[in-house]
Amino acid sequence: MGILCALWRSACLESRGRPSLTVCRQRARLGLKPAGSRRPYATATTLDHHSSPGTQLHGFTLRRTKRVPELELTAYHLQHDKTGADYLHVARDDKNNVFSIGFKTNPPDGTGVPHILEHTTLCGSKRYPVRDPFFKMLPRSLSNFMNAFTSSDHTSYPFATTNQQDFSNLLSVYLDATLNPLLRANDFAQEGWRIGPANPTLEGKDYARSDEDSRLVFKGVVYNEMKGQMSDASYLFHIQFQKHLFPSLNNSGGDPQKMTDLTYDQLVNFHHQHYHPSNAKIFTYGDMPLPKHLQEIDTRLEHFDRIAKDDDIKLPITLADGPHEVTVEGPVDPLVDPFMQHKTSISWLTSDTSDIQETFALGVVSTLLLDGYGSPFYRNLIEAGLGQEWSPNTGLDTSGKVGVFSVGLMGVKEENVKRVKEVIRTTTKAINQDGFEKSKVDGILHQLELALKHKVAHFGMGVMQRLQPGWFNGVDPFDALAWNQTISSFKERFLQDRYLEGLLEKYFLNDNTLTFTMTPSQTYAEKLSNEESSRLSEKIQAVVKRAGGEEAARKELEQKEQELLEVQARASDEPLDCLPTLQVSDIPRRKDANQIRDADFDRVKVQWREAATNGLTYFRAVNVIDLPVDLRMYIPIFTDAIMRLGTRTMTTEQIEDLIKLKTGGVGASYYASTSPNDSHICSEGFAFSGYALDHNVPQMYKILRMLVLETDFDSPQAKGRIQELLQAAANGALDGVAESGHSYARRFAEAGLTAQGRYSEQTGGLTQVKLIARLAAGATSGQLHGVIEKLKAIQSIALTSQQGLRVAITCSPDSAHRNEAELRKFLETLPFPQPSRRAQASQPAEHARKTLFNLPYQVHYTGLAIPTVGYTDPAGAPLQILAQLLTHKHLHHEIREKGGAYGGGAYSRGLSGTFGFYSYRDPNPRNTLKVLQSAGQWARDREWPSRDIEEAKLSVFQSVDAPQSVNEEGMLRFLSGISDDMRQRRREQLLDVTAEDVQRAANDYVTNPVERGYLAVLGPKQGWLKEADGWNISELGTEALTADA
């Protein structure tokens, strides 16, 4: 969709709390990505004397330049003379500089070779022959972003940093990793796949080896990652849809069923064919000098000769001979009504995405059709009861050469599947006949205007993420950057009679469609398991045949596993002198604080941050109240419902239109924060947010007040719409847990320790998931009446004028006076709190020490939390350093490299006073728990070299000193009560941590964590998880939820 949409969505993603659901859905429908901040316009000073097309510099030739004043940038398109590598530089006065190198990597099959190669290239290179230099660079850098991405047809390696030496260091490592990787066979075995004993390292007290531990299984980081991905039914629907629409474009991530066909030689050959400068697209962004980038990059490319570029662009099947229909099987969602398990979508092909003007206009059409509760497709499909939520592919997808527009539903009854297509067709015809309203288009353009003004922290990364897919598919990045040109052209065309309706007629008023349906299969998981067992048996038999017998085959596989373990063990303490690094001395000891002033408006405290905001005003408010315990869990439902129900005088559609026309989004959410002085004290209540152009601030306040105080919970439609919300939230909730299972596990574990942990679990954890699923499964009229009464009780206390209310305003200095006047007017309209039932004493419920949530996944997620100290306690800084040391020096090695999990580590929450561990997409949770149990003792007994302590400090300061968006400045103080003095003291404590401090913290707080804390595991029940050993086994299926009710 290009930079236009990237900037648009940034306005939604950068606001905290719960932004307007309307605005977020609007941007999501266009497939938008986050962008970052804008600073004053960068003239092309770095190349002023080299800026003529045809100029040669450091092995590159400048092909063309483009100034984009509205985005305050200048773009340079260059080409490497010897290899033909494409290079795009975006010069901008932004200290957060970005680099990316990407390669065209059309997958030849479903083995996931691009994905596995993405992992193995980062396992060592010629200049940096250490094992896994990518992960070892994480604690040697002050980067605010480091990663690698395997997309459907290309692979990219980006990073972002504000430090010039750090940029040079990472540039060197990234270029050598991608162009000169070692690609060792044991790296392929570790990251890709292998066969070996399930638990080769499980031994010691309480961990006696069993036959299960010795059982031969498929292993590999990517293999387990994709098994976890396949547990996400939404992902499965989308990837199967793509498979049938783009049969020539295989699954780049890899299908576990085919992944074990990939050989090491095939991996190496794929690298030789695709990871070549002639096949590369290089991107840089920011205020660092381009000539220096060119000089360094040329030294890495000059050793290669030019080869034929892979410019094969994969196209979808033709739908001109439609309609086409495809039906596949998928898993059953245990949290959803068993009779509403179908998923179905209708898709059309649209324009060539290199036609930026028409692609943008189609994005507007998609938004008008799909965005918000008042949109025609929402009303006629979801509100009409044909489905519970949009399918994952719904919206306009412009990531390929040809656009694809899809409308689909999840939670569909079998008898309604064909009806969905009929309603989509009749709705499209009716829209074409009636036409689109100009006011709705004006609302979309207003959102674009706000996005252009909104200053966010990761603008460069957003530019890269949005330009790169099109760049690999024939879209000119210069065209994609032409903001004003695209908008102006659209406005001119929109003035033409029925311009948007003409696009409907051109693309959608026909049956040249693909109908894709996924039907539920009760045996789907069983079939996957049986297939894997059969495939494993075949692979083992091949080894038996080659080795000359079963005993010899087992010995061979166990020996290879042992050899890999030995390689991994040697790597854990290998010298890293060849890797570049920053020093702690690069971190300033003192950090300048944002200039903030405080004021009192009667009973309300107001924090003011005056800064360059491009004519925008940002509003935050927190209302701390004594919250009745029985209402807390219903606050997330309330904050969704106020965006859905309308008021006595305005419909939902009218409110949505007003939000788009007058604001960048408003929202409400649950709020809880622990005192920085005492982790046992937690305040809670409500948080509110919004932003708008300065002259629209009064309307923003009016909208926020109307949503919170005037939403009509007694309307005839209220029960039905709340039921829609509950069913939509329940549908796909299990997929959401699968995507972030470690976060849910950690949250549940922390609920046993602190009040904030308990509140967070109740409002955003598995407890909230269970509540939503239970209400959705048994949403009778009587039950919904009880829900509505709770929501009305919440409404009466949410936004009142009292001592617990405080406000933060961020605005430009010249609008501060006017903002003071408007804020006073707003506060005067708020009601005084009414007498209500007193909050009950919040006593912690009984919380089992060890809990398994038995879920139908192929992998596990683990969270273990233990109590520590509050933010101002001097022991907090060593614990924060200890978490980084354990993650990078021990847990990554043990849980990911040896255990095969996709991720694992430690964390320290200074504000809430908790320390924890986690694993993600973990095939081996029993081994993980053994590692975690001994982690504190390992850290206590280790003689920590000064270099390790330095690296841990660098890791911590990546987030401490990360760039902030203008609307985030001062928010830690406002939301958490952490003063500038506290932050500065903590900063100095972190910089002064010693090895002895780390050892002491490990001994005092982290030894024997299972006995000290609370443990949660998500995934299928295994034999060692026994109630007799203290495990509480919890179910989340609808039958269990109904029984709980």
Side-chain angles (χ1 to χ4, degrees):
M1 182 60 63
I3 187 62
L4 303 175
C5 297
L7 289 173
W8 186 0
R9 194 185 186 196
S10 73
C12 172
L13 294 183
E14 288 290 329
S15 57
R16 288 292 184 262
R18 186 181 294 264
S20 162
L21 183 60
T22 300
V23 176
C24 284
R25 284 182 183 276
Q26 173 185 16
R27 295 163 182 149
R29 289 305 145 238
L30 293 174
L32 313 175
K33 295 289 185 183
S37 70
R38 298 189 309 279
R39 299 180 182 271
Y41 173 48
T43 56
T45 54
T46 57
L47 274 188
D48 273 349
H49 60 295
H50 297 296
S51 56
S52 299
T55 299
Q56 293 182 318
L57 182 65
H58 299 302
F60 285 85
T61 296
L62 180 64
R63 297 299 182 190
R64 53 189 176 145
T65 66
K66 184 180 184 68
R67 294 183 182 238
V68 188
E70 64 271 25
L71 298 179
E72 302 167 340
L73 59 83
T74 300
Y76 299 87
H77 181 207
L78 305 100
Q79 189 173 53
H80 190 244
D81 298 331
K82 187 176 181 185
T83 65
D86 246 353
Y87 191 123
L88 179 66
H89 176 70
V90 176
R92 198 165 185 265
D93 190 7
D94 188 344
K95 294 185 181 301
N96 196 18
N97 286 253
V98 176
F99 167 83
S100 172
I101 184 169
F103 304 92
K104 186 74 169 178
T105 50
N106 286 322
D109 48 42
T111 61
V113 58
H115 189 185
I116 296 173
L117 181 59
E118 174 222 307
H119 281 240
T120 50
T121 55
L122 301 175
C123 289
S125 64
K126 291 180 180 178
R127 181 174 289 197
Y128 306 109
V130 299
R131 188 172 180 79
D132 213 350
F134 176 80
F135 280 98
K136 289 183 170 68
M137 280 300 295
L138 287 172
R140 300 168 77 89
S141 163
L142 285 173
S143 65
N144 54 78
F145 189 91
M146 279 180 67
N147 214 328
F149 301 113
T150 302
S151 300
S152 59
D153 60 1
H154 66 278
T155 306
S156 57
Y157 297 80
F159 68 78
T161 182
T162 61
N163 184 289
Q164 189 158 348
Q165 183 59 53
D166 198 24
F167 190 98
S168 297
N169 293 348
L170 293 173
L171 178 65
S172 179
V173 171
Y174 268 56
L175 288 173
D176 207 55
T178 53
L179 298 175
N180 302 299
L182 296 178
L183 297 183
R184 294 165 291 210
N186 52 37
D187 295 331
F188 170 70
Q190 173 185 290
E191 299 296 320
W193 75 275
R194 66 188 187 278
I195 298 173
N199 269 320
T201 62
L202 197 61
E203 57 187 17
K205 183 181 177 182
D206 300 326
Y207 293 101
R209 291 281 296 273
S210 66
D211 291 342
E212 180 67 20
D213 299 322
S214 300
R215 182 172 60 91
L216 294 175
V217 296
F218 284 125
K219 311 179 82 170
V221 172
V222 177
Y223 184 80
N224 288 314
E225 176 190 355
M226 296 312 297
K227 282 182 68 176
Q229 193 74 66
M230 292 296 183
S231 297
D232 182 339
S234 295
Y235 169 83
L236 186 63
F237 178 91
H238 194 270
I239 206 69
Q240 290 287 343
F241 163 75
Q242 289 287 110
K243 173 183 175 181
H244 288 87
L245 185 61
F246 291 85
S248 63
L249 188 62
N250 293 290
N251 182 357
S252 61
D255 182 344
Q257 295 184 5
K258 299 178 180 178
M259 198 174 290
T260 52
D261 292 332
L262 181 65
T263 67
Y264 169 65
D265 288 340
Q266 289 171 333
L267 179 87
V268 173
N269 289 335
F270 190 82
H271 178 271
H272 291 334
Q273 294 165 8
H274 296 274
Y275 277 50
H276 189 281
S278 299
N279 200 38
K281 295 191 184 299
I282 301 169
F283 174 90
T284 52
Y285 164 92
D287 65 355
M288 294 180 188
L290 173 58
K292 187 175 181 180
H293 297 340
L294 297 177
Q295 187 174 15
E296 173 64 19
I297 293 171
D298 178 57
T299 63
R300 304 307 181 89
L301 305 188
E302 65 180 359
H303 305 294
F304 293 85
D305 294 319
R306 189 183 295 235
I307 64 171
K309 179 186 295 188
D310 179 7
D311 55 5
D312 181 19
I313 296 175
K314 302 298 184 182
L315 298 175
I317 60 173
T318 179
L319 297 181
D321 57 348
H324 295 249
E325 294 189 5
V326 174
T327 301
V328 300
E329 287 188 345
V332 171
D333 188 334
L335 299 186
V336 176
D337 185 326
F339 297 105
M340 303 179 74
Q341 295 273 347
H342 284 69
K343 302 176 179 69
T344 189
S345 68
I346 316 299
S347 301
W348 292 264
L349 302 181
T350 63
S351 64
D352 187 317
T353 53
S354 63
D355 185 343
I356 298 295
Q357 306 293 345
E358 186 147 297
T359 298
F360 175 81
L362 284 165
V364 173
V365 171
S366 174
T367 302
L368 292 167
L369 294 174
L370 293 163
D371 172 50
Y373 298 120
S375 66
F377 278 140
Y378 186 92
R379 289 198 310 265
N380 292 348
L381 292 171
I382 296 179
E383 189 175 302
L386 290 178
Q388 298 176 337
E389 179 60 292
W390 299 119
S391 63
N393 60 338
T394 294
L396 180 65
D397 179 2
T398 59
S399 60
K401 178 67 173 174
V402 177
V404 180
F405 178 71
S406 303
V407 184
L409 296 175
M410 300 191 297
V412 180
K413 293 180 179 179
E414 182 177 6
E415 59 267 28
N416 285 336
V417 169
K418 292 188 179 298
R419 176 73 176 147
V420 170
K421 182 175 181 179
E422 295 171 6
V423 172
I424 290 173
R425 293 182 64 182
T426 57
T427 301
T428 306
K429 290 179 180 178
I431 295 167
N432 182 57
Q433 181 176 344
D434 297 339
F436 293 109
E437 297 178 31
K438 181 179 182 299
S439 62
K440 294 184 183 295
V441 177
D442 290 341
I444 294 173
L445 296 178
H446 178 252
Q447 294 300 304
L448 289 170
E449 179 187 1
L450 292 181
L452 185 63
K453 290 178 173 291
H454 186 47
K455 302 175 74 170
V456 290
H458 298 283
F459 183 92
M461 190 60 64
V463 172
M464 183 279 296
Q465 290 176 334
R466 293 313 305 163
L467 291 183
Q468 202 166 60
W471 197 10
F472 276 106
N473 282 283
V475 177
D476 187 337
F478 276 28
D479 290 343
L481 285 169
W483 176 288
N484 279 351
Q485 181 180 337
T486 302
I487 299 298
S488 298
S489 175
F490 173 79
K491 288 180 177 178
E492 291 176 6
R493 297 184 185 193
F494 182 62
L495 293 177
Q496 301 171 11
D497 186 40
R498 292 181 57 81
Y499 169 56
L500 295 181
E501 292 80 5
L503 294 177
L504 276 182
E505 295 171 0
K506 181 177 180 180
Y507 292 109
F508 307 139
L509 291 182
N510 58 65
D511 205 8
N512 298 330
T513 59
L514 170 65
T515 300
F516 181 79
T517 303
M518 180 172 282
T519 62
S521 170
Q522 294 287 347
T523 60
Y524 185 82
E526 181 182 354
K527 289 177 181 176
L528 283 184
S529 179
N530 290 341
E531 187 281 331
E532 184 179 47
S533 296
S534 175
R535 178 163 37 90
L536 176 63
S537 178
E538 290 180 6
K539 294 291 184 183
I540 292 175
Q541 286 305 309
V543 180
V544 169
K545 184 176 181 180
R546 185 181 67 246
E550 291 187 6
E551 184 176 345
R554 171 171 282 276
K555 184 177 180 180
E556 176 185 324
L557 293 171
E558 289 179 343
Q559 183 176 346
K560 286 184 177 179
E561 187 75 12
Q562 187 59 40
E563 289 172 355
L564 179 58
L565 289 172
E566 291 171 0
V567 169
Q568 292 166 337
R570 289 194 300 270
S572 64
D573 288 313
E574 67 181 333
L576 302 178
D577 297 342
C578 67
L579 287 176
T581 185
L582 294 182
Q583 307 296 327
V584 170
S585 59
D586 294 317
I587 303 171
R589 187 167 182 84
R590 184 160 192 87
K591 182 80 168 180
D592 292 337
N594 295 313
Q595 295 299 309
I596 290 171
R597 62 182 174 90
D598 295 311
D600 285 314
F601 286 12
D602 296 326
R603 295 170 301 278
V604 179
K605 295 185 180 300
V606 183
Q607 172 182 296
W608 292 90
R609 167 63 176 152
E610 296 177 18
T613 61
N614 276 346
L616 296 176
T617 293
Y618 301 90
F619 166 85
R620 294 283 187 89
V622 167
N623 193 19
V624 175
I625 61 174
D626 291 329
L627 190 64
V629 176
D630 62 321
L631 298 184
R632 181 184 301 120
M633 291 177 61
Y634 288 81
I635 291 177
I637 303 174
F638 171 81
T639 57
D640 280 346
I642 62 176
M643 306 303 301
R644 177 68 187 98
L645 300 188
T647 69
R648 294 182 185 274
T649 59
M650 293 190 72
T651 66
T652 301
E653 183 177 1
Q654 291 171 330
I655 294 172
E656 289 176 339
D657 290 345
L658 191 61
I659 290 173
K660 294 174 194 173
L661 283 166
K662 299 299 182 181
T663 80
V666 295
S669 64
Y670 173 75
Y671 166 83
S673 182
T674 299
S675 166
N677 296 307
D678 188 343
S679 60
H680 295 95
I681 298 175
C682 180
S683 58
E684 63 173 335
F686 299 85
F688 306 96
S689 63
Y691 77 99
L693 293 168
D694 291 338
H695 67 268
N696 282 331
V697 167
Q699 289 87 347
M700 176 185 71
Y701 287 144
K702 180 180 178 181
I703 292 168
L704 182 61
R705 185 187 185 283
M706 175 177 60
L707 286 171
V708 179
L709 300 180
E710 299 177 19
T711 292
D712 187 4
F713 289 98
D714 292 320
S715 71
Q717 300 83 19
K719 288 183 180 179
R721 291 178 176 175
I722 289 173
Q723 185 175 17
E724 289 171 22
L725 288 176
L726 293 171
Q727 290 176 338
N731 197 307
L734 197 66
D735 297 338
V737 175
E739 181 64 26
S740 304
H742 61 308
S743 297
Y744 282 93
R746 291 190 304 191
R747 190 181 290 115
F748 188 83
E750 291 169 13
L753 297 176
T754 66
Q756 183 173 358
R758 187 164 65 255
Y759 300 163
S760 177
E761 167 60 25
Q762 291 172 355
T763 56
L766 291 168
T767 303
Q768 177 71 195
V769 170
K770 290 178 72 172
L771 172 69
I772 296 296
R774 177 170 60 81
L775 293 175
T780 63
S781 178
Q783 188 178 42
L784 287 174
H785 175 76
V787 171
I788 288 175
E789 289 304 307
K790 291 182 185 297
L791 299 183
K792 290 166 65 176
I794 292 171
Q795 185 179 40
S796 69
I797 61 175
L799 184 58
T800 56
S801 179
Q802 58 163 354
Q803 289 185 345
L805 181 66
R806 63 181 189 268
V807 173
I809 299 291
T810 300
C811 64
S812 59
D814 58 0
S815 69
H817 180 73
R818 183 171 54 188
N819 264 300
E820 288 186 13
E822 295 300 339
L823 179 60
R824 287 185 184 277
K825 292 178 184 178
F826 169 64
L827 295 175
E828 289 170 357
T829 68
L830 299 182
F832 289 99
Q834 299 297 316
S836 60
R837 49 201 176 95
R838 294 180 60 83
Q840 306 166 21
S842 182
Q843 296 297 325
E846 187 67 27
H847 198 84
R849 287 280 179 175
K850 299 188 293 186
T851 301
L852 167 73
F853 286 90
N854 189 20
L855 294 169
Y857 301 149
Q858 299 184 61
V859 288
H860 292 80
Y861 306 85
T862 301
L864 172 60
I866 51 181
T868 57
V869 297
Y871 184 84
T872 57
D873 192 297
L879 284 165
Q880 202 170 345
I881 299 298
L882 173 61
Q884 294 298 320
L885 288 167
L886 282 170
T887 296
H888 294 292
K889 301 300 178 182
H890 185 54
L891 299 178
H892 173 81
H893 173 66
E894 295 292 332
I895 296 174
R896 179 184 168 106
E897 291 183 349
K898 294 167 94 173
Y902 186 55
Y907 64 95
S908 178
R909 298 197 195 278
L911 194 60
S912 60
T914 57
F915 190 96
F917 303 93
Y918 65 93
S919 70
Y920 180 69
R921 291 181 179 166
D922 187 352
N924 207 342
R926 191 180 184 199
N927 179 70
T928 295
L929 294 183
K930 183 203 75 168
V931 172
L932 300 186
Q933 178 68 349
S934 61
Q937 182 178 345
W938 181 88
R940 179 197 65 193
D941 297 341
R942 181 176 172 84
E943 293 295 327
W944 291 102
S946 59
R947 181 65 242 172
D948 287 357
I949 302 298
E950 287 245 325
E951 290 182 4
K953 293 176 182 179
L954 289 169
S955 295
V956 168
F957 276 88
Q958 289 173 4
S959 57
V960 171
D961 287 349
Q964 280 190 314
S965 304
V966 65
N967 61 310
E968 290 300 308
E969 295 171 355
M971 285 302 104
L972 184 63
R973 177 183 189 265
F974 176 72
L975 295 173
S976 303
I978 297 176
S979 68
D980 293 336
D981 288 342
M982 290 178 185
R983 291 182 68 183
Q984 181 58 36
R985 193 178 310 117
R986 180 64 165 236
R987 183 183 191 88
E988 294 171 3
Q989 290 170 345
L990 287 167
L991 291 171
D992 293 339
V993 168
T994 65
E996 291 75 19
D997 295 333
V998 169
Q999 292 170 324
R1000 188 180 307 111
N1003 181 72
D1004 293 348
Y1005 299 104
V1006 188
T1007 52
N1008 300 317
V1010 174
E1011 288 75 22
R1012 290 178 184 241
Y1014 289 82
L1015 174 63
V1017 177
L1018 280 58
K1021 187 177 184 302
Q1022 295 183 336
W1024 58 276
L1025 294 161
K1026 301 175 182 177
E1027 292 180 344
D1029 292 333
W1031 284 92
N1032 174 52
I1033 311 299
S1034 180
E1035 306 286 345
L1036 281 183
T1038 51
E1039 294 182 3
L1041 295 172
T1042 304
D1044 289 344

